[in-house]
Amino acid sequence: MAIAIIVDGLVTVNITPYGGSQAALGYTRNGAEVTFESFMLDVMGDENGGDDGPPIDVQYLGETARIRCELTKWDTVQALHVLERHASSAAGAPVIIAGSALINQDSGYLALELASTNRTYSFPKVFPRNAIELNKGTKFSTFTVEFEAHRFNGATLYTIA
């Protein structure tokens, strides 16, 4: 394939809430930003001075992705699912009992899709880990959320269609 300028066009941010059906969350300002973060472990060895030297190899342990969306147009009902953060919570009433809100074991995650006419990225297991920002005032509101994606069933972090 030739080197080219890539323009995906308008991206619709879709979510599949906990056990529900896929629905449009909304549209972003300046697109969704996806950051893939790898996890690696240094393998130390006497060939390079042991623990005090550089690694003799690096072991790849997998990766996660962070998807940041600053939405300027969104569905308030779907935004409530994001604000819940976990299937066992309700917006404004988070689960706070230790051990009762595990993301993987309790299926406490959403699915996220960044759909455009050129390509669609699908993340089958995401949850809003960091701050969720919602501004209110006389200017238009924004809803900013950063999702963290993990491998689904130990295999798929994302797919591209």
Side-chain angles (χ1 to χ4, degrees):
M1 181 170 237
I3 296 173
I5 297 170
I6 308 299
V7 180
D8 283 334
L10 177 63
V11 172
T12 305
V13 179
N14 296 312
I15 62 168
T16 303
Y18 318 101
S21 299
Q22 186 181 73
L25 176 60
Y27 301 108
T28 64
R29 174 188 355 222
N30 298 322
E33 299 170 2
V34 181
T35 304
F36 298 100
E37 186 171 359
S38 66
F39 291 82
M40 305 210 180
L41 178 66
D42 289 343
V43 179
M44 307 310 286
D46 286 340
E47 296 99 328
N48 288 343
D51 288 342
D52 294 323
I56 60 170
D57 207 335
V58 178
Q59 182 179 1
Y60 174 67
L61 301 173
E63 66 183 69
T64 60
R66 285 180 284 118
I67 305 99
R68 185 176 189 281
C69 302
E70 182 183 3
L71 300 151
T72 54
K73 190 174 184 181
W74 71 91
D75 182 321
T76 56
V77 172
Q78 298 309 315
L80 287 175
H81 293 300
V82 175
L83 287 166
E84 290 169 356
R85 291 191 186 264
H86 188 280
S88 298
S89 292
V95 172
I96 55 173
I97 301 168
S100 67
L102 298 169
I103 298 295
N104 289 319
Q105 182 174 297
D106 297 345
S107 298
Y109 49 85
L110 305 139
L112 178 73
E113 180 183 80
L114 305 175
S116 74
T117 55
N118 290 341
R119 68 188 50 80
T120 296
Y121 285 80
S122 296
F123 298 88
K125 183 190 290 187
V126 303
F127 54 95
R129 183 169 190 146
N130 297 317
I132 298 172
E133 299 174 24
L134 179 63
N135 78 311
K136 305 304 283 175
T138 57
K139 292 184 177 182
F140 66 93
S141 294
T142 57
F143 181 72
T144 304
V145 59
E146 185 175 294
F147 295 98
E148 184 171 303
H150 286 247
R151 293 185 304 157
F152 183 71
N153 291 336
T156 306
L157 178 61
Y158 65 94
T159 59
I160 303 172

